[in-house]
Amino acid sequence: MRVHHLSCGTFCPRPARLLAGKGGWLEPTKLIAHCLLIEAGDRLVLVDTGLGTPEAENPHLVPLATRIAIAPRPAMAETAIRQIEALGLDPAEVTHVIPTHLDFDHAGGLFDFPQAEVHVHATELATALAPPIAERLRYMPVQWAHGPKWVEHSSWGEDWFGFEGVRPIEGIDPEIVLIPLLGHSRGHCGVAVKEDRG
């Protein structure tokens, strides 16, 4: 198993002093959308997608309030699909996408992988498809308007290193597990990947 770390979106919110602990109160800082590309046997697995080609082609797809708050800087070269191509891999071999949650900066690239199964916590999917008023700004339904192949997961599973409800994702690799970490969003999950170093 081989893991590639990708930066699939840049954001320049202010103030740097508060968000990064250095810089000025009026200066922007730089944050990235960190994604993983996992080569698991004959398939590719993408953990989070960052911003996708639709946002890179039209940054105004991102709601105005979000653009003001976190200042995304979509770039085609930073999309997961273009970075996979740059690695000499075929994006069509991405058979599974595991968004940790469906905030716009984690799910923007779903559009770019229509052939993939999208593994998501059932509560996260239900919330994203019908968000309460207070949570509507975090989700962008246009990102899944193409009709992804959703695979819903619930919280049940095994205890693992003090985490409850951990489960391997069937059909992928037993060394990739989903860890419910509800809180940041209603169905937020972590993903653990076992490789040679641990």
Side-chain angles (χ1 to χ4, degrees):
M1 189 173 314
R2 187 173 180 195
V3 179
H4 303 272
H5 295 266
L6 309 178
S7 172
C8 297
T10 299
F11 308 88
C12 299
R14 300 170 192 266
R17 174 66 57 91
L18 178 66
L19 297 168
K22 60 183 179 180
W25 289 102
L26 299 177
E27 290 178 52
T29 191
K30 181 180 175 185
L31 305 174
I32 65 162
H34 181 231
C35 303
L36 300 178
L37 177 68
I38 305 166
E39 293 184 57
D42 61 348
R43 67 189 70 204
L44 298 175
V45 179
L46 188 59
V47 178
D48 284 331
T49 66
L51 301 175
T53 57
E55 291 87 9
E57 290 170 353
N58 182 6
H60 288 90
L61 284 176
V62 179
L64 178 61
T66 303
R67 294 197 316 266
I68 291 170
I70 61 174
R73 303 285 187 260
M76 194 61 74
E78 287 188 348
T79 61
I81 193 168
R82 295 295 177 256
Q83 290 186 64
I84 291 169
E85 291 169 345
L87 289 168
L89 300 169
D90 183 357
E93 292 179 2
V94 175
T95 57
H96 301 273
V97 175
I98 312 169
T100 55
H101 57 302
L102 294 173
D103 282 4
F104 88 97
D105 56 328
H106 291 255
L110 290 179
F111 174 86
D112 298 323
F113 303 96
Q115 74 285 356
E117 291 184 355
V118 180
H119 298 266
V120 65
H121 193 283
T123 303
E124 182 70 9
L125 182 59
T127 304
L129 295 179
I133 292 173
E135 296 181 53
R136 287 187 183 159
L137 282 179
R138 76 184 313 160
Y139 300 114
M140 285 179 50
V142 68
Q143 293 177 330
W144 46 80
H146 64 284
K149 299 175 185 174
W150 300 114
V151 179
E152 297 180 51
H153 297 271
S154 63
S155 293
W156 58 268
E158 303 175 18
D159 290 345
W160 181 74
F161 291 101
F163 295 103
E164 298 176 0
V166 175
R167 61 180 299 168
I169 302 172
E170 293 180 24
I172 301 181
D173 188 296
E175 304 298 348
I176 301 173
V177 298
L178 201 58
I179 306 168
L181 299 172
L182 313 183
H184 174 64
S185 69
R186 294 180 189 225
H188 184 265
C189 289
V191 179
V193 181
K194 184 177 181 185
E195 48 180 346
D196 294 340
R197 294 172 291 167

